[in-house]
Amino acid sequence: MKLPVDDATLTAWSVLLGLTEEESAATLAEIEQTLRVGYEHRPDELRDKSFDELTSGMGVDEAALMFLVSGLRQAGLPEAAYVIEVRGLAAALQSLQHAS
């Protein structure tokens, strides 16, 4: 799967997190695995869509957040990854509340 960013951006994110090439590859694999689990549990109304069709609409911000969380885990910082995940969920819920 291809994230909605170029290779230079992925490299920059990896450097910022201090990831090795192997850790960066593992981060990308973890992101794809996470998205595939979500794809397997998609609602019935999306059953006719392929994995690529559903993931092609991913925004750069979403990709950055997933890379940050997964990358922090790969870098041995699971507590930091957890904090980022919780804050991301809280922000998403707050956004939904404001949209209602």
Side-chain angles (χ1 to χ4, degrees), residues 2 6 8-9 16 19 24-25 48-49 53 58 62 66-67 69 72 74 86 95:
K2 176 91 171 96
D6 58 25
T9 300
L16 285 171
L19 301 177
S24 184
D48 62 334
K49 301 285 185 183
E53 287 174 315
M58 177 187 277
E62 293 169 303
M66 290 189 83
F67 193 91
V69 170
L72 286 169
Q74 288 296 322
V86 170
S95 176

Side-chain angles (χ1 to χ4, degrees), residues 40-51:
E40 291 300 318
H41 295 92
R42 68 195 181 281
D44 289 338
E45 54 270 8
L46 298 176
R47 290 282 169 195
D48 62 334
K49 301 285 185 183
S50 72
F51 177 78

Side-chain angles (χ1 to χ4, degrees), residues 17-40:
L17 293 173
L19 301 177
T20 64
E21 283 186 35
E22 294 80 18
E23 290 169 330
S24 184
T27 296
L28 294 172
E30 181 180 337
I31 290 169
E32 182 171 356
Q33 180 183 9
T34 299
L35 292 172
R36 287 196 182 276
V37 168
Y39 176 75
E40 291 300 318

Side-chain angles (χ1 to χ4, degrees), residues 1 8 11-12 15 26 29 35 37-38 51 58 61 63 81-82 85-86 93:
M1 99 159 266
T11 299
V15 169
L35 292 172
V37 168
F51 177 78
M58 177 187 277
D61 292 344
Y82 176 77
E85 280 181 308
V86 170
L93 289 173

